[in-house]
Amino acid sequence: MEGPHLHIIRRANENGAWSKSRKKWVLPVDFLVVQAMDQYAAERHRMVGAGGSDFLLVNLFRAPLGSPVTTDAIGELIAALVHRAGLGRRVVARMLRHAFASNVADAGGVLDEVQALLGQSHPGSPRPYLHPAAGRLREAIERVPSPRMMRAEAES
C-alpha cells in the first residue's frame, strides 16, 4: 500500500483480544497516526527497552510493564479520558468505531470505503456504524432537484 499504513494480523494472544477479520489486511492512516505511533514507540522504548511483547499496545504505566494491554485497561483509559474531558456521559470503545465510520461517511466516503477501512468483508456490515450528521442529510436533500427547479430549467 502506498503511503502510511498499518498491517492488521489476526493471531492468538495472551490477552484474549482478536482482530475480527480472519485475513491479514492493510489500513491506511494519516500523518497524525504516524506521529502518535512515533511518540508511542519512543515512550515504549524508554519504558521497556527492547523487551516486552511485540503487540502494538503494551502496558507502559501499570504492571506488568511490556505486557499486552487488556480490553479492560482500554475501557479504563477511555473512561478516564471521558472524565477528564468533562463529557458527562459514558463512552465505550465501540462508540469510537461508530464515530470513525460516521466521520468517514460525513467526509464523503462511500459505503465500500467505510467497509474496507473497518476491515469488514460483507458489504452490509458497516451500515450499523453509519450515523449521518444533520448537515450531510441537508446536503443530500439540496442535491435532489425539486419539481419547481426542474420546471424552471426546462423553461429557460
Side-chain angles (χ1 to χ4, degrees), residues 41-56:
E43 183 70 8
R44 178 178 173 156
H45 190 269
R46 187 179 75 72
M47 297 295 290
V48 296
S53 171
D54 67 339
F55 279 69
L56 175 64

Side-chain angles (χ1 to χ4, degrees), residues 81-118:
L81 292 171
V82 166
H83 178 73
R84 186 171 154 190
L87 296 182
R89 64 176 288 194
R90 184 170 182 258
V91 175
V92 295
R94 187 95 175 130
M95 295 167 123
L96 303 177
R97 192 168 166 86
H98 283 259
F100 173 72
S102 292
N103 287 342
V104 169
D106 288 344
V110 293
L111 195 57
D112 66 329
E113 292 167 338
V114 174
Q115 174 191 345
L117 290 171
L118 292 177

Side-chain angles (χ1 to χ4, degrees), residues 105-107 131-143:
D106 288 344
H131 309 282
R136 189 161 60 99
L137 295 175
R138 171 55 49 204
E139 290 169 8
I141 290 299
E142 298 298 329
R143 288 192 305 266

Side-chain angles (χ1 to χ4, degrees), residues 10 20 23 56 58 74-75 80 83 86 122 136 139 150-151 153:
R10 181 183 173 126
K20 287 180 102 175
K23 297 178 182 177
L56 175 64
V58 299
I74 295 289
H83 178 73
H122 189 275
R136 189 161 60 99
E139 290 169 8
M150 293 168 54
R151 191 172 37 243
E153 286 177 9

Side-chain angles (χ1 to χ4, degrees), residues 8-108:
I8 313 299
I9 302 169
R10 181 183 173 126
R11 61 181 174 157
N13 63 73
E14 58 195 86
N15 70 356
W18 287 91
S19 167
K20 287 180 102 175
S21 175
R22 294 188 187 279
K23 297 178 182 177
K24 295 178 185 179
W25 59 287
V26 178
L27 177 67
V29 296
D30 66 9
F31 77 96
L32 290 173
V33 173
V34 173
Q35 184 179 34
M37 287 302 302
D38 284 347
Q39 291 173 349
Y40 170 73
E43 183 70 8
R44 178 178 173 156
H45 190 269
R46 187 179 75 72
M47 297 295 290
V48 296
S53 171
D54 67 339
F55 279 69
L56 175 64
L57 299 177
V58 299
N59 290 319
L60 299 182
F61 303 104
R62 62 165 39 175
L65 292 182
S67 67
V69 173
T70 65
T71 54
D72 287 344
I74 295 289
E76 291 169 15
L77 174 62
I78 291 171
L81 292 171
V82 166
H83 178 73
R84 186 171 154 190
L87 296 182
R89 64 176 288 194
R90 184 170 182 258
V91 175
V92 295
R94 187 95 175 130
M95 295 167 123
L96 303 177
R97 192 168 166 86
H98 283 259
F100 173 72
S102 292
N103 287 342
V104 169
D106 288 344

